Amino acid sequence: MNNIAYVTTPGGEELAILPRSELDALRESLEHAQALGGFRAGQLPGLTPDEARALVVATSPLAFWRRYRKQTQAVLAASVGVTQNYLSEIENGKRGGDVAFWLRLARALELPVESLVDEGD
């Protein structure tokens, strides 16, 4: 945070300009703090070391969290209005889904939608 420049607009608003790498680092810190806050508030479950390893090696975060919540593909698929086959293809990365679909999954699993997708997705 050493490379911040401040400018004042003609309207008197003070702005800070910083390198993209520093902005990205700030965003990452904020996301971490929000996730930690969600965990502490009971919004996100805490995982045991074995569960954390299972999440890392799972076919997808969605597949892990579905199993963690003890739901079958058929039950979860029905609750979000898709077929079991479609959900299986989503879990295995063979298909995608629109934002509304992922939000329905997140609500059904009682998780933030960010928990259900890989960072690269």
Side-chain angles (χ1 to χ4, degrees), residues 4 18 30 78 86 94 96:
I4 299 175
L18 65 154
L30 175 61
Y86 183 82
K94 295 178 181 174

Side-chain angles (χ1 to χ4, degrees), residues 13-93:
E13 182 180 16
E14 189 175 16
L15 303 176
I17 301 172
L18 65 154
R20 179 62 180 253
S21 61
E22 292 188 23
L23 175 62
D24 291 343
L26 280 172
R27 284 184 175 152
E28 188 174 317
S29 294
L30 175 61
E31 289 171 4
H32 177 75
Q34 288 172 329
L36 186 58
F39 170 75
R40 287 183 175 154
Q43 296 166 336
L44 292 173
L47 300 178
T48 66
D50 287 341
E51 290 168 337
R53 282 189 285 280
L55 174 58
V56 170
V57 300
T59 306
S60 66
L62 173 57
F64 170 81
W65 288 111
R66 176 186 54 76
R67 287 189 297 271
Y68 182 86
R69 295 291 196 216
K70 297 178 178 28
Q71 290 195 29
T72 65
Q73 283 182 341
V75 168
L76 180 58
S79 74
V80 297
V82 298
T83 66
Q84 182 271 328
N85 188 53
Y86 183 82
L87 182 62
S88 175
E89 290 178 348
I90 294 281
E91 283 188 3
N92 289 300

